[in-house]
Amino acid sequence: MAIIAQKPKGTLDLLPASIHKWHTVEQIVKDCAQQFGFKEIRTPMFEDTSLYVRSAGDTSDVVTKEMYTVSSAGDATFTLRPEGTAGVVRAMLENGVMNEGFPQKVYYVIPCFRHDKPQAGRYRQFHQFGVEMFGSASPFADADIIMLAKSVLDGCGLENIELNLNSIGCAECRKEYHKALKEYFTARKDELCQTCLERLDKNPMRLLDCKSPICSAIAKDAPVILDYLCDDCRAHFEMLKSILDSYGVSYKVNPKIVRGLDYYTRTVFEFISNDLGAQGTVCGGGRYDGLVKELGGQPTPALGFGMGLERLIMTMENTGKDFLDPKTPDIYFAPMGQKAQMRSAQLCMEIRDEGYSAEFDVIGRGLKPQMRYADKIGAKFVCVLGDNELETSSAKIKNMRTGKETPTSLEDFKNTFSTLIIEELFALEDVNGDLESILNGLIDSEE
Ligand code: ATP
Ligand code: MG
């Protein structure tokens, strides 16, 4: 037998055995976002192609080679979301949210699609945690965004990770800078790749972002934007640095960080992991004061970041960080025979109604394979039900960790079990010293 298709190149199947890793980081990013006062926003997975062309700019990697564009009936072409910001700005404008007072602070956890060259840490469907803040030009907002990203990375236990910071100024400062860059690169025109040659006139800052080894070697000695900042942009950058200093956060000013997208202004930053190899950038973000107007709104200062969740999880794996334990069922019912299966199913539902997780045999197997299954799924308790138990309307509930069996009548089953499971959660606290997971277990079972 051969399966008829394989997953598309550059995509990942996230299987049940490791899904707890995703749940761990999703929980952390949501908790952190809420702690900083951000609310979730959900927008469509595809948008009008023109939205991305307009926002990313027609010299960006995304627009020139990475978009998945589909046409549907009629003339419209749609593009699968390569990033989150453009759709969020569109939605905020279209729904009048920008008129509801500032600051507006939103976050999202979304799949993104880019026709990238697949390799470790680079996929064609990947996931981003992103946040956007609208309505503040203050460097305190920049610092808050950076601290939010940092609190996620800290929450995931990552240590060997460096904050790289730069300012790319405003349109004013870039006029002179673009001239200097053009001069520099034109002198070495013969060595540049084809893409960079095309970008040289339109947007010379892109050349600093080229991934070809020759171009990036040339870019090393290029003029740096920090030498060209206007007074306002310089003051903004200095203030941001002193806020970060006051928080005791370390960072590296890296004039080579320019970000891939045209609408960035002033602050740009990346968190780069030293435990990831080539695709070390876990998070990239900055200010994009020009975008809201570009997309048809009032001029509105704005900023945000995108964090790649695959890269985040890979870094955690590479450095042996903890993930939340996979959830295991509280009890497994092992019936022998049809009648017992019916009674097991009823008891199972009673236990679920109490808020606990419970399973029973749905295949009709013998006791041995059932016990193997109970062991595999890590059931905390097991109850075997056969003819004898049905006749006497009683059973034993076995604690799989200690082996202790507790008798109960079937009428009283759920009360007996409630007591046992609570005792067990507290006993596990002693075994693991993990109070938090116990409390979470109790809260979960009360919900
Ligand atoms: P790169 O320079 O690595 O191509 P980028 O500048 O295109 O990154 P952004 O647009 O800033 O990336 O996206 C934010 C984050 O999303 C990145 O820092 C990275 O963690 C993640 N990311 C971007 N592209 C991919 C991809 N193809 N696969 C997995 N993660 C990605
Ligand atoms: Mg890219």
Side-chain angles (χ1 to χ4, degrees):
M1 200 181 74
I3 50 171
I4 61 158
Q6 295 189 320
K7 65 179 176 339
K9 210 170 147 191
T11 62
L12 295 170
D13 294 317
L14 309 176
L15 301 175
S18 53
I19 203 70
H20 62 287
K21 298 181 179 179
W22 284 83
H23 292 164
T24 304
V25 301
E26 283 160 7
Q27 193 60 50
I28 292 172
V29 304
K30 285 177 185 172
D31 288 349
C32 290
Q34 277 160 18
Q35 215 175 10
F36 278 71
F38 287 71
K39 289 217 169 91
E40 188 179 0
I41 184 167
R42 299 189 187 187
T43 62
M45 203 157 336
F46 58 91
E47 295 274 0
D48 235 88
T49 300
S50 60
L51 178 70
Y52 297 118
V53 175
R54 192 66 180 260
S55 64
D58 54 12
T59 60
S60 63
D61 278 354
V62 164
V63 170
T64 51
K65 49 186 193 219
E66 295 174 0
M67 290 202 301
Y68 280 98
T69 295
V70 292
S71 53
S72 56
D75 298 332
T77 69
F78 296 104
T79 294
L80 300 186
R81 170 170 67 199
E83 54 92 33
T85 307
V88 166
V89 173
R90 197 250 336 118
M92 305 280 287
L93 290 173
E94 190 169 336
N95 295 285
V97 186
M98 297 284 195
N99 306 325
E100 293 170 9
F102 289 132
Q104 288 291 337
K105 310 201 283 185
V106 295
Y107 78 89
Y108 45 83
V109 182
I110 54 169
C112 295
F113 305 86
R114 295 186 192 176
H115 195 266
D116 244 325
K117 191 168 156 230
Q119 50 199 289
R122 196 175 283 291
Y123 309 98
R124 291 184 171 173
Q125 175 174 342
F126 63 99
H127 295 80
Q128 263 191 13
F129 163 56
V131 313
E132 319 289 348
M133 190 197 293
F134 300 95
S136 171
S138 161
F140 279 99
D142 304 58
D144 230 27
I145 292 279
I146 291 172
M147 293 313 285
L148 171 49
K150 185 172 162 20
S151 81
V152 168
L153 301 172
D154 288 347
C156 292
L158 304 190
E159 286 137 17
N160 199 6
I161 198 155
E162 200 170 47
L163 168 58
N164 283 243
L165 196 61
N166 192 20
S167 172
I168 54 170
C170 60
E172 251 340 275
C173 350
R174 266 182 244 167
K175 273 187 201 152
E176 281 304 304
Y177 181 56
H178 279 183
K179 258 193 233 161
L181 272 184
K182 260 187 215 167
E183 234 165 70
Y184 175 84
F185 282 112
T186 307
R188 305 190 63 174
K189 218 170 168 178
D190 298 343
E191 301 161 67
L192 298 177
C193 75
Q194 192 55 38
T195 324
C196 281
L197 273 181
E198 283 159 23
R199 289 162 166 171
L200 187 53
D201 270 332
K202 278 193 193 162
N203 189 347
M205 267 169 80
R206 286 241 179 276
L207 274 66
L208 301 174
D209 223 8
C210 182
K211 292 186 177 78
S212 113
I214 298 174
C215 297
S216 47
I218 299 174
K220 273 206 175 80
D221 297 320
V224 298
I225 178 81
L226 288 176
D227 295 334
Y228 292 82
L229 294 186
C230 67
D231 289 347
D232 285 351
C233 289
R234 181 172 308 282
H236 192 274
F237 192 48
E238 290 307 317
M239 185 63 185
L240 170 59
K241 286 190 292 179
S242 54
I243 297 166
L244 293 175
D245 290 339
S246 83
Y247 295 158
V249 172
S250 53
Y251 54 85
K252 177 169 113 189
V253 173
N254 179 350
K256 292 290 179 291
I257 302 268
V258 292
R259 313 286 314 131
L261 303 174
D262 275 343
Y263 48 76
Y264 279 98
T265 51
R266 295 189 168 172
T267 311
V268 285
F269 65 90
E270 288 186 0
F271 280 91
I272 303 177
S273 164
N274 295 314
D275 298 312
L276 258 190
Q279 321 306 332
T281 305
V282 175
C283 174
R287 193 167 261 291
Y288 50 90
D289 289 347
L291 183 65
V292 178
K293 179 159 178 270
E294 182 71 26
L295 297 183
Q298 297 294 325
T300 308
L303 64 167
F305 66 70
M307 188 181 283
L309 297 186
E310 283 79 2
R311 292 188 195 176
L312 184 60
I313 290 174
M314 274 169 64
T315 319
M316 292 173 75
E317 286 171 343
N318 290 353
T319 52
K321 295 298 175 234
D322 286 341
F323 293 95
L324 294 174
D325 288 335
K327 285 234 155 80
T328 56
D330 295 318
I331 185 164
Y332 176 77
F333 291 94
M336 290 183 297
Q338 247 181 19
K339 262 194 185 158
Q341 194 173 27
M342 180 67 89
R343 191 74 181 97
S344 292
Q346 291 164 349
L347 287 169
C348 191
M349 286 312 300
E350 274 183 34
I351 293 298
R352 289 170 179 165
D353 281 345
E354 292 297 295
Y356 298 109
S357 56
E359 289 187 45
F360 66 101
D361 174 61
V362 288
I363 294 184
R365 285 189 288 204
L367 191 57
K368 237 191 190 167
Q370 286 202 55
M371 293 311 283
R372 267 202 300 273
Y373 177 76
D375 192 45
K376 190 173 104 185
I377 61 177
K380 297 185 191 75
F381 290 87
V382 168
C383 175
V384 178
L385 281 186
D387 290 342
N388 198 17
E389 282 76 15
L390 294 187
E391 267 161 36
T392 57
S393 194
S394 66
K396 288 184 187 131
I397 306 175
K398 181 170 179 178
N399 182 320
M400 297 302 280
R401 184 177 60 83
T402 62
K404 186 182 164 203
E405 293 186 314
T406 306
T408 178
S409 74
L410 295 190
E411 288 71 37
D412 223 21
F413 194 95
K414 90 182 170 195
N415 292 332
T416 316
F417 179 70
S418 292
T419 312
L420 285 176
I421 187 78
I422 289 170
E423 279 171 10
E424 176 63 6
L425 291 172
F426 276 104
L428 282 176
E429 176 192 357
D430 287 340
V431 173
N432 301 329
D434 187 359
L435 183 62
E436 200 173 350
S437 75
I438 308 301
L439 290 175
N440 285 342
L442 286 177
I443 292 164
D444 280 356
S445 48
E446 266 168 24
E447 276 167 4

